[in-house]
C-alpha cells in the first residue's frame, strides 16, 4: 500500500478467531515509526492513525485468546509518500531555480558594471577634452603675453625676464 501525503491517515480492522469466547480476545498493536511502544491491551478490534509523516511503516498486531496465550505477531507494511514540495523532482526544481537566479543576478550585475564603466569612460573623455581646451587657452594666452612683453621690452631683456624672473638694468639707445 502506498498512500499519497494528502491521505496520510489509515485505519486497521482486525479479528482473531476464537470460537469459544470471541468477546474475551484481547489485542495489542504497534505502528513502527509512529508509536514507541505497544498499545495497551484492549478488546477493540480496530486502530486508527492520522497525520502520518512520509516514510515506511509497519503495523504489527498480537492477539491473546481466552486461554491467555498470545499469538505470533502479524505485520503489514505500507508507505506514505512525501508532499510534492519535498520530492526529489521538487528539490531539482529548487536547485534549477537557484542556479537560474544566480545567472540572472550575475547578468544584471554585469550589465550594471558595464553601464558604470561606460559612464566613467565618458567622464574621463569629457575631462580630457576640457584639459586639452584649457591647455590650448593657456598656450594662446602665454603667446599673447610674450608678444605683449616683446612689444614693450627689447627681445634680450624679455628673454632674461622670462628666464630669471628679473632683469639687470641696461642702457639702450
Amino acid at each position: 500500500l502506498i498512500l499519497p501525503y494528502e491521505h496520510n491517515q489509515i485505519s486497521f480492522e482486525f479479528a482473531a478467531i476464537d470460537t469459544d469466547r470471541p468477546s474475551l480476545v484481547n489485542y495489542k498493536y504497534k505502528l513502527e515509526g509512529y508509536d514507541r511502544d505497544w498499545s495497551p491491551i484492549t478488546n477493540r478490534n480496530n486502530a486508527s492513525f492520522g497525520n502520518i509523516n512520509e516514510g515506511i511503516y509497519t503495523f504489527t498486531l498480537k492477539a491473546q485468546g481466552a486461554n491467555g496465550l498470545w499469538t505470533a505477531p502479524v505485520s503489514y507494511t505500507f508507505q506514505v509518500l512525501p508532499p510534492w514540495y519535498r520530492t526529489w523532482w521538487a528539490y531539482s526544481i529548487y536547485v534549477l531555480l537557484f542556479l537560474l537566479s544566480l545567472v540572472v543576478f550575475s547578468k544584471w550585475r554585469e550589465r550594471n558594471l558595464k553601464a558604470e564603466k561606460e559612464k566613467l569612460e565618458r567622464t574621463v573623455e569629457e575631462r580630457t577634452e576640457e584639459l586639452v581646451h584649457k591647455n590650448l587657452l593657456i598656450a594662446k594666452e602665454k603667446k599673447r603675453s610674450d608678444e605683449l612683453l616683446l612689444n614693450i621690452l627689447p627681445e634680450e631683456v624679455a628673454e632674461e625676464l622670462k628666464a630669471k624672473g628679473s632683469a639687470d638694468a641696461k642702457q639702450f639707445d
Side-chain angles (χ1 to χ4, degrees):
L1 176 67
I2 297 175
L3 296 174
Y5 190 76
E6 299 81 40
H7 305 289
N8 60 352
Q9 56 200 17
I10 192 166
S11 294
F12 293 96
E13 291 186 15
F14 38 84
I17 299 174
D18 191 341
T19 54
D20 291 342
R21 294 170 281 190
S23 62
L24 295 178
V25 175
N26 292 319
Y27 303 97
K28 67 180 180 178
Y29 53 86
K30 176 181 180 181
L31 182 57
E32 293 176 23
Y34 189 86
D35 294 325
R36 287 191 207 172
D37 298 320
W38 288 90
S39 69
I41 298 173
T42 181
N43 61 357
R44 270 190 22 228
N45 66 345
N46 60 23
S48 294
F49 302 93
N51 198 20
I52 304 172
N53 290 328
E54 70 266 14
I56 297 175
Y57 296 89
T58 302
F59 179 75
T60 307
L61 174 70
K62 289 183 184 181
Q64 181 185 37
N67 58 7
L69 296 175
W70 287 97
T71 62
V74 176
S75 298
Y76 180 75
T77 301
F78 64 96
Q79 179 181 5
V80 177
L81 295 175
W84 68 268
Y85 54 86
R86 285 198 306 236
T87 59
W88 67 268
W89 55 268
Y91 287 122
S92 300
I93 290 172
Y94 300 152
V95 168
L96 288 174
L97 287 174
F98 177 73
L99 293 175
L100 180 65
S101 65
L102 282 178
V103 168
V104 167
F105 176 75
S106 67
K107 293 292 183 184
W108 174 78
R109 184 74 178 131
E110 182 181 339
R111 188 179 68 220
N112 284 351
L113 288 174
K114 202 177 280 188
E116 189 175 328
K117 178 185 169 192
E118 290 172 1
K119 181 181 175 186
L120 287 172
E121 286 176 352
R122 281 192 308 270
T123 303
V124 166
E125 287 174 5
E126 289 172 4
R127 298 297 187 264
T128 304
E129 286 178 17
E130 287 176 14
L131 285 174
V132 168
H133 181 68
K134 287 181 181 178
N135 283 343
L136 287 174
L137 285 176
I138 290 171
K140 187 177 176 183
E141 290 297 321
K142 185 174 186 298
K143 184 178 177 187
R144 188 170 164 226
S145 68
D146 287 346
E147 288 174 357
L148 284 173
L149 200 57
L150 286 174
N151 281 343
I152 299 170
L153 300 172
E155 186 177 341
E156 183 182 316
V157 175
E159 291 299 324
E160 186 180 352
L161 190 58
K162 285 194 297 185
K164 294 182 356 183
S166 62
D168 296 331
K170 295 180 185 167
Q171 183 173 0
F172 291 95
D173 291 336

